[in-house]
Structures are given as C-alpha cells and as structure tokens.
Amino acid sequence: MPHAKTSYVCLPCRASYKQPYLGAYDRLCPRCARSMIHVGSAFAPPPRRDTAGWRVLSVLLHAGVRFHKSCCGGPGYRPRTLHEVRERLAYARTTGEPIHQALVRRDLP
C-alpha cells in the first residue's frame, strides 16, 4: 500500500515539497539542506514571489498552526493576509486566547 503524500516547507527557500509521510523524522531541504517543517496534506503554498504570503505562513507555522485535513476535507480557516494575522494577534493579546487558536479563528467578535 503506498504512503499518503504530505507537504513539507522550507521557509528560507520559500519552497514546498509533497513527499510520502513515513513517520516523524527530519526532512532536509534539497536546496539548502536545512530542516523542513511538516505542514500537512491540505497545504497549498503561496507563490515563491509572494513575500507577504510567506510572512503569513511563517507566523502560522511558528505558532504551531498546520494544514491537516479535517473531517470536512480541509484544514479549516487560515488567515491569508498580514492584516488578518495582525487582527488575530491583537485579539490574542487583548483576550489572552492562545495565539495558535486566535490565528485559526474565522470571525473575531
């Protein structure tokens, strides 16, 4: 039985690679040999030239947000713009909600 494909990201290279998931071990970027981040199978990378998109992705990944499929098919809401990220980070600061939870909140009160 073939292994399911999942995505790994190298933030410094702005590169994403679909590879079989063979367990939790370090994957190295074929471009720079740094460790890649396992982001999940429901991930779609921003274009390499989209600097703002990669900044948003960096904030999400450093906060522990990943892109795994849920029971409904997709990973759920993820902010796509720096404005959406800033709104959710401000919400987390004022309410005390953990950052990783605030970042995936579709609507803010």
Side-chain angles (χ1 to χ4, degrees):
M1 180 170 142
H3 294 283
K5 295 262 184 172
T6 189
S7 292
Y8 294 84
V9 166
C10 178
L11 291 173
C13 292
R14 293 185 190 166
S16 171
Y17 302 94
K18 284 261 189 209
Q19 298 179 353
Y21 184 73
L22 303 173
Y25 70 91
D26 240 6
R27 296 283 180 116
L28 300 180
C29 175
R31 295 173 141 216
C32 70
R34 292 183 185 152
S35 289
M36 293 193 297
I37 300 170
H38 178 230
V39 293
S41 59
F43 176 71
R48 190 170 285 140
R49 285 188 244 172
D50 182 2
T51 305
W54 282 92
R55 285 182 60 201
V56 168
L57 180 60
S58 179
V59 170
L60 293 173
L61 296 179
H62 285 100
V65 176
R66 298 297 185 264
F67 297 81
H68 297 288
K69 290 180 182 174
S70 69
C71 63
C72 301
Y77 172 79
R78 300 293 184 265
R80 292 181 172 257
T81 66
L82 289 170
H83 177 72
E84 291 173 331
V85 167
R86 285 187 201 107
E87 283 181 326
R88 281 149 184 78
L89 292 176
Y91 177 79
R93 274 192 302 276
T94 59
T95 64
E97 182 172 39
I99 290 173
H100 70 278
Q101 287 178 359
L103 284 170
V104 298
R105 179 183 279 279
R106 180 176 297 282
D107 299 311
L108 296 178

